[in-house]
Amino acid sequence: MKKILLAVVACFLLASSSYATNTDLFELNEEKINAEFVELNELEAYVSMHENVTIHNIYQENAGLIAGMNLAYGPEGMMGQSGFSMDTFEWGSFAWGFCCFPIGATIGIFTVLLNDNKGSDHKTSYLIGAGVGFLLSGGFGYYRFL
């Protein structure tokens, strides 16, 4: 009984001593915001002066203009790829997701999803395979009778 009372008192003390505040939740650093807008205005002026310029041209000719910005460009960035398609579909990763579902799904997770050497196409193909395996196995109805 003493242990339970001590645990309840300890929980009450911990709960009453911890609190969160929202004092700096809505604070703005206007200097930082203005500096970022200056960079954007410079980029806008450059693009308006040079018609038909692409981000690839800016990286080649005037990389300092966008050096401080967090732009994803290249084969791994969102601007450099057109998205997932059947041309980039990885059948091996699909097989890991489809054939190993539901019992060997953890093996597929370790070989595809948590593997840093696998790209986003591999991971998307694995998830599609696991989804197809889930649907073909009867979905939730399969697990109801286990």
Side-chain angles (χ1 to χ4, degrees):
M1 183 68 181
K2 289 182 182 180
K3 291 181 182 179
I4 294 174
L5 183 62
L6 181 62
V8 169
V9 169
C11 288
F12 177 73
L13 288 174
L14 285 174
S16 65
S17 66
S18 64
Y19 58 91
T21 62
N22 294 335
T23 56
D24 61 334
L25 185 61
F26 296 106
E27 287 185 17
L28 298 175
N29 186 353
E30 292 190 24
E31 293 175 4
K32 184 176 179 182
I33 293 171
N34 289 335
E36 290 180 8
F37 273 114
V38 166
E39 292 176 0
L40 286 175
N41 289 337
E42 290 174 4
L43 179 62
E44 180 184 16
Y46 181 81
V47 170
S48 65
M49 288 187 334
H50 301 89
E51 291 185 20
N52 298 329
V53 69
T54 63
I55 193 166
H56 181 69
N57 295 7
I58 294 173
Y59 267 101
Q60 287 180 342
E61 298 168 5
N62 201 354
L65 192 62
I66 53 177
M69 298 179 191
N70 187 14
L71 297 176
Y73 177 73
E76 295 298 321
M78 292 303 292
M79 296 177 136
Q81 62 185 357
S82 61
F84 184 77
S85 67
M86 286 305 290
D87 296 334
T88 60
F89 195 79
E90 298 292 336
W91 288 102
S93 299
F94 174 82
W96 274 110
F98 178 72
C99 296
C100 295
F101 187 82
I103 296 170
T106 55
I107 297 169
I109 288 172
F110 286 118
T111 56
V112 177
L113 289 182
L114 299 179
N115 190 351
D116 291 336
N117 296 332
K118 302 288 185 180
S120 64
D121 294 335
H122 287 274
K123 295 174 184 180
T124 304
S125 299
Y126 171 79
L127 293 174
I128 290 172
V132 169
F134 175 74
L135 291 176
L136 290 180
S137 68
F140 290 110
Y142 173 77
Y143 295 107
R144 189 179 321 148
F145 299 110
L146 286 180

